[in-house]
Amino acid sequence: MTMDEYANLDSLMHRWDARCKLIGLTTLIFGFATVNSWQWLLLMLAISFSLYMLSKLPLSFLIRRLRYPSLFVLGLVVVLPFVSGQTIIWQMGPLAVRQEGCLAMLLITGRFVAIMTLCLVMFSTNSMLTTVKALQWGGMSPVMVDMILLSYRYLFELEKQLKTMATALRLRGFKSHQINQRNLSIFVALAGTLFVRSYEQSEQVYKAMRLRGYQANGRAVSTESLSRDLPSLVLMILCMIVGVIFMGVAVW
Amino acid sequence: MHISEGLLPAKVCIGGYAIASLITWYELRRIEQQPNPTAGIPKAALLTAAFFVASSIRIPIPPASVHLVLNGMLGAVLAEYAFPAILVGLLFQAVMFGHGGITTLGVNAIIMGVPAILAARLFQLRHFAAKYIGIRKADSLFAFLAGGGGLGMTMVMFFAITIMGITADIDAGAEQAAILALLISHIPLIIIEGIFTVLLVKFLSRVKPEMLKINGPSRVGNAHSTR
């Protein structure tokens, strides 16, 4: 569970300025989201996979990230061929497969894979801090920036605490195979302890932040280390043009 | 309860972002109007992380298991920080696990965040009810309504947006029937979330009552600023 796993690789996507990447890929992602014709699916997937290959991120990483959410999407779209549309292409008794439903299923699955792939390129080729710097440069409120950074900082620590508590429970013979009043009370104590610990820890964190000069309405992180260069701008403009073309095609 | 990438038309995603931005702006304005706006940020951030981690706890409901959503509880504890906290949590879930998505972030924030805000308001009503039915009963009743109601509202919005947004070729009657059927089938989850919230409120009242005791919209920030 980390966003910085492959942030230190060396590729064109990694060297791409975070701000330009955010603007360029966001436009492209929204361009892909507007695609409502299956004829554009292949082009959309080709662009996504090309950018992914350029990022030098491992293919196993993409498969690992797509696997679990794909089950949710498949669970939703698998019924579409049977309930959506009028044109029946195959029928057996009351069960009819409809053309419009099949196309909708293809379209949704294609959009999902293409957008997810681009999101991985956007967020996995930078460290979390660099992405947050780009978001702050883009006008994100300092309150939101602080919340993102602090939550991210303590997420792993709290996850570790939960795992330790769960292990301690198992070692004491707790088996969570069924739901009853006793088990539910144990789950409540587990979650409650986590909230109480985080609440108490936040008081110490705030005191430490105050001592280091933390104050209201300041810039949460410095954006000075971000450097814009010509290739980054060109790549951003290219992505924006492609994104706008996809949007234009959908409207037309 | 996350709408994945690619499921919704772009105009719904953009509309979701517009509404979510408006709500975030309003909530941030409320935070900035506090005497010390940054005072509550560490608490909100750490509790956001705690809720994010706690939602990974699996409650066994044979033959499967479910994850808790806890958006009603989050609203009750974080008040005006709840919507930004949900936005942050959803961003992490989208980026780290692929649950939800970047294009659907606005819609998902509305689905989870608006019920959290309403659940927070509902939970505050326990002080009025306490005069008539006693503090303990009022706490339990309104914790159940906030927890179960928060998830119930989320489910109604989730099923309605997903089924109506997924494709225009489905018959309207079939859509309504599907939403109703899915909602009815999820009633046990709403009840479990409600019961879990009641037990959690009882636990916090016993162990760390100040997490629930401070009233009014500025609870998180005031907890620090009164020190």
Side-chain angles (χ1 to χ4, degrees):
Chain A
M1 191 173 83
T2 174
M3 286 158 72
D4 299 339
E5 200 177 350
Y6 297 105
N8 295 320
L9 298 178
D10 184 30
S11 75
L12 182 65
M13 292 295 118
H14 285 80
R15 287 193 295 274
W16 193 1
D17 174 69
R19 292 165 294 185
C20 297
K21 195 187 319 186
L22 206 66
I23 297 168
L25 289 184
T26 305
T27 314
L28 198 54
I29 284 171
F30 274 94
F32 286 176
T34 58
V35 170
N36 50 20
S37 163
W38 62 272
Q39 288 98 329
W40 290 86
L41 266 182
L42 276 181
L43 181 64
M44 183 170 76
L45 287 166
I47 294 170
S48 287
F49 287 125
S50 303
L51 288 174
Y52 191 83
M53 297 312 274
L54 281 174
S55 72
K56 291 186 183 170
L57 292 167
L59 201 62
S60 58
F61 177 61
L62 177 67
I63 294 166
R64 202 170 70 221
R65 287 300 176 96
L66 282 179
R67 195 167 44 198
Y68 192 51
S70 298
L71 294 175
F72 285 102
V73 176
L74 279 176
L76 282 168
V77 298
V78 82
V79 294
L80 286 180
F82 305 103
V83 297
S84 173
Q86 307 292 329
T87 321
I88 296 171
I89 51 174
W90 184 80
Q91 190 160 17
M92 197 177 82
L95 205 66
V97 177
R98 295 153 207 271
Q99 188 182 333
E100 293 86 348
C102 290
L103 291 177
M105 185 175 77
L106 265 180
L107 194 66
I108 289 168
T109 313
R111 276 199 312 232
F112 164 75
V113 173
I115 295 172
M116 280 288 289
T117 309
L118 281 189
C119 283
L120 282 183
V121 174
M122 187 156 74
F123 290 104
S124 302
T125 53
N126 281 127
S127 68
M128 175 66 188
L129 185 64
T130 311
T131 305
V132 171
K133 279 179 184 179
L135 286 170
Q136 179 165 300
W137 174 86
M140 184 178 265
S141 148
V143 174
M144 291 294 288
V145 171
D146 282 340
M147 278 182 70
I148 291 175
L149 289 176
L150 275 169
S151 300
Y152 188 66
R153 159 73 182 79
Y154 288 96
L155 204 58
F156 305 103
E157 203 173 303
L158 292 171
E159 193 204 12
K160 204 173 153 187
Q161 283 182 20
L162 183 69
K163 275 185 182 165
T164 310
M165 287 191 282
T167 307
L169 275 176
R170 272 201 308 276
L171 287 172
R172 286 171 193 158
F174 175 65
K175 285 178 185 160
S176 60
H177 298 312
Q178 57 179 336
I179 188 164
N180 54 39
Q181 200 180 345
R182 182 183 167 271
N183 282 2
L184 205 56
S185 303
I186 291 171
F187 285 124
V188 167
L190 201 64
T193 308
L194 198 69
F195 295 147
V196 171
R197 281 186 186 183
S198 63
Y199 185 84
E200 285 172 346
Q201 200 170 2
S202 73
E203 290 175 354
Q204 293 167 6
V205 170
Y206 180 62
K207 281 175 193 164
M209 286 166 70
R210 284 279 300 271
L211 285 171
R212 286 171 191 159
Y214 180 70
Q215 55 186 322
N217 301 322
R219 286 183 79 83
V221 286
S222 164
T223 53
E224 281 167 16
S225 61
L226 296 170
S227 60
R228 206 166 15 208
D229 53 315
L230 190 62
S232 290
L233 282 172
V234 171
L235 209 51
M236 179 187 85
I237 292 166
L238 270 175
C239 283
M240 287 175 77
I241 290 171
V242 177
V244 170
I245 289 173
F246 271 100
M247 288 179 206
V249 166
V251 172
W252 179 67
Chain B
M1 291 294 116
H2 298 78
I3 298 179
S4 296
E5 299 282 17
L7 279 176
L8 297 179
K11 56 187 174 187
V12 178
C13 298
I14 293 166
Y17 262 104
I19 296 168
S21 304
L22 208 63
I23 299 171
T24 310
W25 170 80
Y26 177 73
E27 296 293 339
L28 289 176
R29 211 176 65 126
R30 282 175 67 201
I31 292 168
E32 278 160 12
Q33 280 171 351
Q34 291 175 15
N36 186 3
T38 50
I41 291 172
K43 196 156 286 179
L46 262 83
L47 283 168
T48 303
F51 274 101
F52 182 88
V53 172
S55 65
S56 69
I57 296 173
R58 287 181 182 190
I59 306 292
I61 300 180
S65 62
V66 293
H67 291 283
L68 294 162
V69 178
L70 297 175
N71 60 336
M73 187 70 204
L74 190 133
V77 174
L78 290 182
E80 68 270 38
Y81 286 86
F83 198 86
I86 283 172
L87 207 51
V88 171
L90 288 172
L91 178 71
F92 286 147
Q93 284 179 334
V95 173
M96 289 173 153
F97 306 115
H99 292 180
I102 295 301
T103 57
T104 53
L105 185 64
V107 175
N108 282 328
I110 295 166
I111 287 174
M112 304 279 279
V114 171
I117 294 170
L118 295 176
R121 299 287 161 99
L122 191 65
F123 192 59
Q124 282 170 24
L125 292 177
R126 74 192 193 280
H127 299 294
F128 296 107
K131 293 172 194 166
Y132 306 101
I133 56 173
I135 295 168
R136 283 186 179 184
K137 277 185 184 169
D139 274 0
S140 297
L141 177 67
F142 282 88
F144 183 83
L145 292 175
L151 182 63
M153 280 184 269
T154 296
M155 279 180 170
V156 171
M157 285 198 264
F158 174 78
F159 292 132
I161 292 174
T162 306
I163 293 174
M164 286 195 269
I166 200 164
T167 173
D169 291 326
I170 303 176
D171 173 56
E175 276 181 354
Q176 284 170 4
I179 295 169
L180 196 66
L182 283 166
L183 203 63
I184 289 168
S185 68
H186 282 77
I187 285 175
L189 298 187
I190 295 173
I191 293 170
I192 287 173
E193 180 100 3
I195 293 169
F196 195 89
T197 310
V198 171
L199 296 173
L200 201 54
V201 164
K202 279 185 178 173
F203 179 90
L204 294 177
S205 310
R206 208 169 55 239
V207 179
K208 201 78 180 171
E210 60 263 43
M211 278 182 81
L212 300 166
K213 250 185 185 175
I214 305 157
N215 304 319
S218 305
R219 131 182 354 104
V220 179
N222 283 350
H224 279 306
S225 55
T226 49
R227 277 166 202 284

